[in-house]
Amino acid sequence: MKNIEIINGDITELDVDVIVNAANETLLGGGGVDGAIHEKAGPELLKECQSLSGCPTGEVILTESYNLIAGAIIHAVGPKWGGGQNNESDLLESCYFGALELALEHGFRTIAFPNISTGIYGYPKIEAAITATSAVKSFEDLAEFEKVIFCCFDEENYKIYSSIL
Ligand code: ADP
C-alpha cells in the first residue's frame, strides 16, 4: 500500500497533520510516548486534557498540539495486556480504526501512530503489529490519506513492522 510508511524515530518530531498518542484513561499524562508528547507540547496540553473527563480504553479523543510541529493530537487509549483473553486485540484495533475515522472527520490527510500498548502496557510486539497493520490496511477509507506512518521507536518494532508490511 503506497500510502503506508514505517519509520524508526521520535513521533514528537514529525511534521504531519496529526499524531496519535498512546494515552491512558485519565488523559493526564504518563511515561513513554505520552510523557514525551506532553513534554514537547507544553503545559497547555495538560490543561486541555484536564478539562476532558478521561477516555475509555479502545476509544480516542482529539486535542490541539500546542508546541508540537504536528497539527493536532489524537489520544488513543490502548488496552493493557492481560494475557490475550480480555478483548485486547479488539480494543487495540478499535484505537487504530477510531483514530483514522476521527482524523478524516477533521480533514487530516497525514497521520502517524506509535506502537500503541507495546511499552508500559506490555502488549506483545508481534501480536500488536499484526493487529495494527491489519486494522490500517482494512480501513475502508485508507485511500483518503496521503500518508499513514507507523512510527517505531525501537529497532525491534521497526524490524517487526518491516517484515509484516
Ligand atoms: P503504552 O502504555 O500504550 O504501552 P508506551 O508509551 O509505554 O505506551 O509505549 C508505546 C510505544 O511507544 C512503545 O513501543 C515505545 O517504545 C514507544 N515510544 C516511546 N517514546 C516514543 C516516542 N517519543 N516516539 C515514538 N514512540 C515512542
Side-chain angles (χ1 to χ4, degrees):
M1 311 233 173
K2 272 190 294 190
N3 56 352
I4 299 181
E5 200 176 298
I6 309 160
I7 63 164
N8 195 357
D10 181 347
I11 203 165
T12 66
E13 305 280 335
L14 299 183
D15 185 3
V16 286
D17 294 341
V18 61
I19 60 167
V20 177
N21 181 18
N24 58 55
E25 287 190 337
T26 69
L27 297 178
L28 300 180
V33 69
D34 196 9
I37 287 173
H38 274 270
E39 195 179 312
K40 278 254 175 80
E44 294 296 310
L45 175 60
L46 183 59
K47 273 193 204 150
E48 183 176 354
C49 288
Q50 281 165 339
S51 76
L52 307 166
S53 32
C55 180
T57 300
E59 296 188 15
V60 297
I61 201 161
L62 182 78
T63 69
E64 290 186 44
S65 59
Y66 303 98
N67 300 331
L68 289 174
I69 305 160
I73 305 167
I74 291 175
H75 304 263
V77 182
K80 287 186 186 135
W81 182 253
Q85 305 302 313
N86 303 304
N87 218 19
E88 288 97 329
S89 65
D90 288 346
L91 290 165
L92 187 61
E93 181 185 71
S94 148
C95 288
Y96 285 89
F97 282 144
L100 293 169
E101 263 161 34
L102 189 60
L104 285 185
E105 271 169 40
H106 286 83
F108 301 134
R109 294 289 178 268
T110 53
I111 184 169
F113 286 96
N115 308 133
I116 301 172
S117 287
T118 67
I120 297 158
Y121 279 4
Y123 208 117
K125 290 178 182 176
I126 295 175
E127 281 84 346
I130 290 169
T131 297
T133 52
S134 320
V136 169
K137 285 200 279 186
S138 67
F139 184 67
E140 247 193 343
D141 298 319
L142 179 63
E144 302 212 11
F145 286 94
E146 193 184 307
K147 210 185 283 175
V148 177
I149 299 172
F150 289 109
C151 178
C152 303
F153 196 59
D154 59 89
E155 190 66 29
E156 193 188 349
N157 262 320
Y158 182 74
K159 284 188 180 144
I160 292 169
Y161 274 80
S162 304
S163 69
I164 292 177
L165 287 173

